[in-house]
Amino acid sequence: MRDVYVGGIGITTFTRLEYPLSEIAAYPAMMALKDAGIRDVDHLYVANMGSARVNHQTALASAVVDSLSLTPAGAAVIENGPASGASALKAGFAAVASGLHDVVLVSGAERMREVNNLEATDFVATLTHPLAEYIYGVTLPSHAAMFTRLYMEKYGLTERHLAMVAVKNQNNAMLNEFAHLHQPITIEGILDSPEAMTNNPYVAEPLRFFDACPVSDGGAAVILVSDDVAKTIDRPLIRLAGVGQATDTHAVHEREEPTDLLAVRRAAAQSFEMAGLRPEDVDVAELHDAFTILEIVESEEVGFFPKGEGHVALEKGETAIDGSLPINPSGGLKGKGHPVGATGVAQAHEIVTQLRGEAGDRQVDGPQVGFTCNFGGFGNNVVCLTFVREGR
Amino acid sequence: MIRDIYAYRCRKCGRLHYPFRMVCKECRQNDFFDFDLVPLPKTGKLLTFTKVYNLPAEFEVPTLGLGIVELENGLRITGQLEVDDPRIGMAVRGEVKPVRKSAYDTFYGMVFRAG
């Protein structure tokens, strides 16, 4: 396999965007091309989950490749639920590593706010098991809620720990100009004060409003290039060193130990093994906190903290921007937003920004190794990436 | 018409599954549709649960109880929950009823009550 490097990156603001979906994919792609200082690409992957259902548009990659006047380059959509973004990066990685292509542009985009919140929740819920889950009204918040209840029972996690994740990530998002939520919150306002139940009502008990990510529109792009091309690009050298992916049962109730997220554990281990690194080597991570509980559990399953102790590390401030292992300095899905198809690419965007030392007010101190976990389904399809800063 | 929900027993190794899958997770040796239908037990204990407030538009109720139940034979199933004060580990009894209506169809599934 050839080494694969990040040539350029781009991102839109995550918010409600009144642009056609193809432009939401093309805009960050333009930024990434500018960032890399290149005009030609061999292949485009567009990561998207809901264009057909939500935006009444199919074959999105064909629209985007032409809008960017990159024809006749190859183009295809990668749809893999909320893990579409990192899955598209994996496809791009494979194409460059194998020698099939030298320059692959990966753009993730989603426009979910074209429909109302209930429809957006229902759209995401279509990833659940159609006969064993979806028909009952199971949604992603309800999966996360049932999982949280078990975790609380088994590991002593409380609503306070969940609120601490929300506060940390929304405060990080205050430092990110691209983040959806620019709303500072406090434990008092969402948990302790008499108004807390009004400010922060239950969405799916025991999860409250501020435990869930917002519904966002947005796009992010990353250009993956071969060693030879990377040498011609005058940007800090970041290598995509490890790619891991694992799946688990479609119906959540079929998992032997219901508090395990085995696909996260396996995808992370694979990613670290390919990179020749260990979880201890990671300096900054973006984890898929679609719900606050997930940041805590993923931080355990990928190997940063022992099982059941992620919330202890959180309490100690270890995962804050100035902590020993900053998690979600971008604000995460919770603060930055979660345009589903874009998320995995946006996580990579943040890690590359951090490794380049270009993250401004939210810059982590001198990171060399960054890690992303893009969590699809309710943990049934997970992609983890490891990035390393090299030399210059 | 009687509607029921079944478990699927692998004809090669006897492992029970719910929901249906094409190939047994245990032995992975099946030919096409190499399973026997087995009625699911209706009683079990509640493994975890939630009460959901933001429902898809088709559900014309303010809140909905959902839970995962471990049935008597050890199989687990996700279903709706009609219990006022649910607790982990409590005994529940299921019944197959309409659980979702769309413009074109009515879907039947397991609804659990205390017992």
Side-chain angles (χ1 to χ4, degrees):
Chain A
M1 279 204 303
R2 302 197 295 176
D3 282 346
V4 178
Y5 292 87
V6 175
I9 56 172
I11 197 163
T12 71
T13 301
F14 285 9
T15 179
R16 179 176 179 144
L17 293 173
E18 300 287 343
Y19 302 99
L21 179 60
S22 56
E23 284 178 30
I24 296 174
Y27 181 86
M30 283 279 291
M31 287 173 74
L33 291 164
K34 262 178 85 86
D35 181 41
I38 57 177
R39 283 279 173 189
D40 297 316
V41 309
D42 300 325
H43 193 91
L44 166 73
Y45 281 116
V46 175
N48 172 268
M49 176 174 170
S51 74
R53 190 173 191 283
V54 178
N55 315 101
H56 206 69
Q57 180 173 11
T58 55
L60 184 61
S62 314
V64 178
V65 76
D66 185 37
S67 172
L68 292 166
S69 293
L70 291 173
T71 52
V77 170
I78 301 283
E79 193 275 296
N80 195 25
S84 298
S87 299
L89 285 166
K90 181 184 175 181
F93 175 89
V96 175
S98 68
L100 181 65
H101 298 306
D102 291 319
V103 182
V104 176
L105 170 58
V106 178
S107 182
E110 204 75 56
R111 188 177 175 209
M112 306 168 73
R113 298 197 69 113
E114 191 165 332
V115 295
N116 67 40
N117 244 319
L118 291 180
E119 259 194 70
T121 300
D122 187 50
F123 145 59
V124 182
T126 57
L127 66 77
T128 62
H129 195 291
L131 296 175
E133 294 176 336
Y134 181 77
I135 59 162
Y136 293 105
V138 169
T139 55
L140 272 291
S142 38
H143 267 319
M146 290 193 281
F147 183 85
T148 302
R149 193 178 297 281
L150 283 171
Y151 228 79
M152 286 175 159
E153 181 92 355
K154 189 164 176 184
Y155 295 110
L157 189 91
T158 63
E159 287 191 20
R160 182 164 302 269
H161 296 112
L162 303 179
M164 285 169 72
V165 174
V167 170
K168 169 177 79 71
N169 290 355
Q170 283 199 214
N171 287 346
N172 289 354
M174 295 293 290
L175 307 172
N176 182 353
E177 60 184 317
F178 300 109
H180 190 163
L181 301 183
H182 284 150
Q183 177 189 28
I185 53 172
T186 61
I187 295 278
E188 197 193 1
I190 65 170
L191 195 69
D192 287 343
S193 70
E195 299 83 26
M197 268 308 268
T198 315
N199 294 342
N200 193 17
Y202 283 118
V203 172
E205 292 176 6
L207 295 182
R208 295 166 182 269
F209 180 78
F210 280 101
D211 288 315
C213 64
V215 176
S216 315
D217 301 336
V222 168
I223 297 174
L224 297 175
V225 299
S226 63
D227 193 4
D228 286 346
V229 175
K231 284 186 190 128
T232 68
I233 294 173
D234 187 23
R235 301 294 283 132
L237 201 57
I238 313 293
R239 189 160 66 92
L240 175 47
V243 177
Q245 181 172 19
T247 50
D248 203 345
T249 66
H250 190 189
V252 171
H253 69 239
E254 278 200 280
R255 298 182 195 161
E256 223 153 279
E257 178 48 62
T259 48
D260 280 350
L261 294 175
L262 283 184
V264 174
R265 200 179 300 171
R266 288 167 175 156
Q270 233 182 64
S271 175
F272 285 130
E273 195 193 333
M274 187 192 288
L277 293 166
R278 294 166 307 164
E280 306 82 286
D281 297 322
V282 173
D283 301 312
V284 56
E286 288 279 310
L287 303 181
H288 193 112
D289 58 331
F291 303 95
T292 49
I293 180 74
L294 290 179
E295 177 178 307
I296 296 170
V297 182
E298 286 167 26
S299 75
E300 300 165 1
E301 295 286 17
V302 305
F304 295 156
F305 310 114
K307 186 79 180 161
E309 291 180 26
H311 66 288
V312 181
L314 169 77
E315 265 176 354
K316 290 183 189 157
E318 289 176 26
T319 57
I321 286 179
D322 59 357
S324 54
L325 176 49
I327 295 178
N328 288 327
S330 72
L333 284 58
K334 174 71 195 98
K336 185 168 69 178
H338 183 24
V340 281
T343 284
V345 187
Q347 290 178 317
H349 178 281
E350 175 68 11
I351 291 301
V352 172
T353 305
Q354 290 284 351
L355 294 180
R356 284 177 174 182
E358 295 173 353
D361 291 341
R362 65 179 193 284
Q363 178 64 48
V364 168
D365 189 24
Q368 299 296 309
V369 176
F371 179 85
T372 68
C373 176
N374 191 191
F375 181 92
F378 193 76
N380 60 30
N381 201 328
V382 179
V383 183
C384 292
L385 307 175
T386 307
F387 294 85
V388 178
R389 172 155 188 167
E390 291 188 351
R392 61 184 160 92
Chain B
M1 184 179 175
I2 298 169
R3 295 180 187 259
D4 208 347
I5 297 178
Y6 295 91
Y8 302 87
R9 180 186 285 132
C10 171
R11 284 182 190 152
K12 291 283 191 287
C13 76
R15 161 93 180 241
L16 280 172
H17 299 277
Y18 175 77
F20 175 74
R21 55 175 63 236
M22 291 294 280
V23 176
C24 173
K25 206 170 157 49
E26 186 79 31
C27 70
R28 302 198 291 128
Q29 297 301 316
N30 313 82
D31 204 342
F32 284 99
F33 304 104
D34 211 0
F35 293 87
D36 290 314
L37 266 66
V38 180
L40 272 183
K42 296 291 189 288
T43 54
K45 62 173 189 179
L46 189 58
L47 191 74
T48 182
F49 61 91
T50 182
K51 185 168 159 189
V52 188
Y53 293 77
N54 62 336
L55 290 160
E58 291 160 28
F59 289 86
E60 291 171 344
V61 288
T63 64
L64 182 70
L66 292 169
I68 296 177
V69 172
E70 193 160 293
L71 299 168
E72 270 172 357
N73 62 358
L75 272 185
R76 294 186 191 136
I77 180 170
T78 304
Q80 289 179 358
L81 195 62
E82 291 179 355
V83 178
D84 287 339
D85 180 25
R87 281 159 291 112
I88 287 179
M90 75 182 286
V92 290
R93 173 179 293 277
E95 191 186 344
V96 177
K97 296 208 300 198
V99 290
R100 186 175 195 142
K101 288 192 176 78
S102 72
Y104 310 101
D105 215 342
T106 299
F107 298 94
Y108 286 73
M110 198 81 102
V111 180
F112 288 97
R113 292 189 171 189

